Amino acid sequence: MSDTSLTIDNILAPELTLCRVPASSKKRVLETIAEQIHHQDEILSDTEIFSNLVSRERLGSTGIGQGIAIPHCRLEGLDRVIGVLMTLEESIDFDAIDNQPVDLVFALIVPKEATSEHLELLSQLAEKFNDNGFCEQLRQCQDAASLYQRMTAAS
């Protein structure tokens, strides 16, 4: 796996792109992420994914500001990078650095040993989400198909 081939559009699957997800809390968002990944690949433990995401959040919120969060963690035994994109039905408190509620979430689950890839993807995501117009386009999407298309078209 080389850094150059790892882009958002080859880690995000349409099945893991969710639009207007009802979520009442940060914990519920992380549970939904873990459940969706497990639903796509039953070998992966939703409990382990959730636990790793929560552990990472304890180190500091992955809410990067302006209504965006990029929860991420490493997972033992994973052989690829998995992305999950969600817009939330309503903004929720995510302990973001700017104290603003979050309604746009991109989760990243990476293999335990994938360090440079992990950082490169986080950098790509941060750059995309730094574009307010792009974020507004994502928020306007009414369904998962258009959300997936919007996220991957700009890659």
Side-chain angles (χ1 to χ4, degrees):
M1 192 184 311
S2 72
D3 292 354
T4 54
S5 70
L6 212 52
T7 58
I8 293 161
D9 55 330
N10 61 24
I11 62 154
L12 180 65
E15 304 79 41
L16 291 174
T17 305
L18 311 166
C19 193
R20 303 193 181 276
V21 175
S24 52
S25 67
K26 179 182 192 173
K27 177 179 181 269
R28 187 65 203 122
V29 167
L30 299 179
E31 285 172 346
T32 301
I33 291 164
E35 289 162 4
Q36 290 297 321
I37 293 171
H38 174 70
H39 185 68
Q40 288 305 310
D41 187 342
E42 293 183 357
I43 294 167
L44 302 175
S45 161
D46 52 344
T47 310
E48 189 181 348
I49 295 166
F50 174 70
S51 172
N52 288 2
L53 286 169
V54 168
S55 294
R56 171 56 191 84
E57 286 298 321
R58 284 195 193 112
L59 298 175
S61 176
T62 56
I64 62 169
Q66 299 180 349
I68 300 156
I70 307 179
H72 55 279
C73 69
R74 295 169 194 222
L75 193 62
E76 194 73 57
L78 188 63
D79 62 357
R80 67 196 184 289
V81 176
I82 300 172
V84 180
L85 174 63
M86 298 188 332
T87 58
L88 304 181
E89 203 168 70
E90 292 181 28
S91 299
I92 56 153
D93 180 30
F94 216 88
D95 305 316
I97 55 173
D98 62 358
N99 293 317
Q100 295 300 306
V102 161
D103 65 348
L104 200 50
V105 178
F106 195 106
L108 207 49
I109 313 300
V110 300
K112 195 78 167 165
E113 57 286 337
T115 51
S116 60
E117 291 97 338
H118 187 177
L119 295 173
E120 173 56 32
L121 277 167
L122 285 172
S123 164
Q124 285 180 39
L125 287 168
E127 192 176 317
K128 273 185 166 306
F129 289 134
N130 205 22
D131 177 345
N132 289 336
F134 175 72
C135 292
E136 205 42 54
Q137 289 176 347
L138 294 180
R139 290 181 171 108
Q140 299 302 319
C141 292
Q142 297 296 316
D143 57 57
S146 59
L147 183 61
Y148 176 77
Q149 186 178 18
R150 177 75 60 203
M151 186 70 195
T152 55
S155 288

